[in-house]
Amino acid sequence: MSRIYYYNPTFEMAIAHGHHSYQPPDRLKQFEVDLGEILLFLATGNDIVINQHSTNEQFVDFWRQVNKSMPHFLKLEQIKDVVHKERYVPTPWGISKQAFHLFNSKGFSFQKATVEGNDWNPELRQFFSRETSAIFEKKWLSGTIPDFCQLKHIPQIICSQTELCTFLKNKELSLVIKSLWSSSGRGIFVVKDAWHINPAITWASGRLRHDKGVIIEKWMHKVADFSFQFHLGADNTITFLGINYFSTDTEGRFDKEWIHQPEIFELIKREKQLPADWEEQCVIHLTKTLQSMQWHTKYVGIIGMDAMVIKEDDGKLRVRCCVEINFRYNMGLVNMALKSHISESAKGHWQITQFEPHQWIDFYHQQSQEYPAIIENNKLRSGFFPLVSPLQERIYAAWGVLQ
């Protein structure tokens, strides 16, 4: 079976909205349209990637030099004309009622997240919220796990205004409040000073009225970001796909993906601040806990678990294995797929940037001249590389640099 990929990162907002007619704000819709082409790195030559822009031949030729097979690119309105639709598995970035309706309206039989039934199950709405991450972390921290994964603070699920005010005014500062439906560091409010409390109560109260809950966590001293990538099978089989390295800004929002393992992880190993096999220990114990959740009755597919190395108050490093769980495709998978076309000795990163109108193509030409790509043995060795075509109409674009 082949896949038909569709980039819909606003699917959490569609879930919260609850109706198949949901449309994201114009700015976020532009983000979806501009970055849809990036899914080519997950696709094979037999797949389709929905791309509302044209695909530049120069861009295609660039990636063919490193043996990247190209999928077929179609606009959304064109997929209704695809022949032999039964051969394609609709594969949106994330599952929602809106995504189900879109593909069904185009004549595709959806490879659904639910194991049974032909339609979106309303009961899944809460499952795809951040509440599931908090429930998992509570179970994780209460189980038998390595000492370096033990944390003093457990996330709290707050469901009322009274509970919110009592919690904020009686707890130490340095807290993070998270809305139930959002991702990639969005939908959070950080409380670090006393003057943040009243604005935080106002912000969280709005989420309580709309979502009936918020998550409150202690702000932790982050040392490094990374993620565990798993696949959950219909028989409750957990397959570990790998570890991805990325970074976030000071507010916890996605910043960049690292092509190589960041030096901080090498430093941790050299200084023996964590056991030499800490990653393997985490994966073994996480796999057991994930299986115990029995989520396969509600969802089958990718599980991206954002994690971080933190420094506790005692100065020791700990691993917070579950900052947030994403039941969807994620940029970590794109990054892991991209690495197969890059030299193992290369170091660098890629990121997503918002440009002013017409700036992306100028930036592309400037960077291509200043940092020309060097390809050795059909692998990118150094230089600038684009992850979406250089086109005038793009405002959001993904690009990277290798050293």
Side-chain angles (χ1 to χ4, degrees), residues 17-53:
H17 185 271
H19 197 272
H20 69 76
S21 64
Y22 169 79
Q23 290 294 323
D26 289 344
R27 177 179 61 85
L28 295 179
K29 187 63 179 177
Q30 179 81 41
F31 183 85
E32 288 188 337
V33 168
D34 284 355
L35 293 176
E37 191 179 27
I38 201 171
L39 296 191
L40 75 93
F41 295 100
L42 299 178
T44 70
N46 296 320
D47 297 327
I48 293 171
V49 169
I50 295 174
N51 178 26
Q52 294 299 89
H53 292 308

Side-chain angles (χ1 to χ4, degrees), residues 124-370:
L124 288 176
R125 182 177 185 270
Q126 202 68 22
F127 174 77
F128 284 101
S129 76
R130 281 180 167 135
E131 182 178 357
T132 300
S133 300
I135 291 170
F136 176 86
E137 189 170 24
K138 282 187 175 182
K139 183 169 185 177
W140 165 255
L141 293 174
S142 64
T144 302
I145 59 177
D147 289 343
F148 61 85
C149 293
Q150 297 284 356
L151 303 176
K152 296 178 182 178
H153 303 275
I154 296 176
Q156 301 293 315
I157 302 172
I158 303 295
C159 299
S160 72
Q161 178 83 12
T162 301
E163 191 179 7
L164 171 69
C165 294
T166 300
F167 190 94
L168 287 180
K169 292 183 177 180
N170 290 298
K171 289 289 182 180
E172 60 181 285
L173 296 175
S174 299
L175 300 171
V176 181
I177 309 173
K178 295 182 177 180
S179 62
L180 293 188
W181 282 278
S182 191
S183 65
S184 300
R186 270 67 179 178
I188 66 174
F189 194 104
V190 180
V191 181
K192 290 186 178 180
D193 297 294
W195 64 271
H196 288 154
I197 292 178
N198 286 335
I201 290 174
T202 301
W203 182 88
S205 296
R207 272 61 186 178
L208 280 170
R209 286 192 297 270
H210 187 267
D211 301 333
K212 312 304 180 187
V214 293
I215 310 294
I216 298 185
E217 305 171 353
K218 182 182 183 297
W219 178 265
M220 299 181 183
H221 181 183
K222 181 185 68 177
V223 175
D225 293 297
F226 66 101
S227 66
F228 298 101
Q229 301 289 334
F230 297 96
H231 182 271
L232 172 60
D235 58 353
N236 201 28
T237 300
I238 305 294
T239 303
F240 174 60
L241 304 177
I243 290 177
N244 182 64
Y245 303 98
F246 65 99
S247 63
T248 57
D249 63 19
T250 55
E251 298 301 320
R253 293 183 293 265
F254 171 77
D255 181 32
K256 59 174 66 77
E257 295 281 354
W258 295 101
I259 299 297
H260 62 289
Q261 186 184 67
E263 293 180 2
I264 182 63
F265 290 94
E266 293 297 326
L267 179 64
I268 290 170
K269 290 181 179 180
R270 285 198 304 269
E271 297 186 353
K272 299 181 180 179
Q273 298 178 72
L274 290 171
D277 64 342
W278 68 268
E279 297 103 327
E280 291 84 353
Q281 288 192 51
C282 289
V283 170
I284 290 170
H285 286 85
L286 283 170
T287 299
K288 293 178 181 177
T289 307
L290 284 169
Q291 284 185 315
S292 73
M293 302 303 293
Q294 297 288 307
W295 283 336
H296 65 294
T297 61
K298 299 179 180 179
Y299 173 81
V300 172
I302 298 296
I303 296 177
M305 188 177 297
D306 290 346
M308 59 187 181
V309 178
I310 64 168
K311 181 179 288 187
E312 285 279 33
D313 295 337
D314 59 9
K316 293 183 179 179
L317 295 189
R318 299 283 193 279
V319 180
R320 186 182 178 192
C321 286
C322 179
V323 177
E324 187 163 309
I325 299 175
N326 297 302
F327 296 94
R328 58 171 170 81
Y329 284 80
N330 58 82
M331 288 302 176
L333 288 177
V334 174
N335 194 37
M336 290 165 62
L338 179 64
K339 289 179 183 179
S340 65
H341 304 288
I342 293 176
S343 171
E344 292 184 4
S345 61
K347 294 185 177 182
H349 74 276
W350 62 270
Q351 64 190 69
I352 296 170
T353 300
Q354 180 179 356
F355 293 91
E356 293 297 323
H358 311 301
Q359 275 192 351
W360 159 232
I361 193 167
D362 293 336
F363 178 83
Y364 164 83
H365 288 302
Q366 178 189 9
Q367 296 294 306
S368 297
Q369 291 179 2
E370 290 188 16

Side-chain angles (χ1 to χ4, degrees), residues 87-133:
R87 297 179 183 176
Y88 291 92
V89 177
T91 308
W93 190 253
I95 303 292
S96 70
K97 189 172 184 178
Q98 184 261 358
F100 270 85
H101 178 77
L102 187 150
F103 278 102
N104 287 336
S105 69
K106 304 295 183 184
F108 289 88
S109 176
F110 210 98
Q111 181 71 19
K112 46 196 173 298
T114 45
V115 175
E116 298 178 354
N118 296 319
D119 296 311
W120 171 261
N121 182 350
E123 295 179 2
L124 288 176
R125 182 177 185 270
Q126 202 68 22
F127 174 77
F128 284 101
S129 76
R130 281 180 167 135
E131 182 178 357
T132 300
S133 300

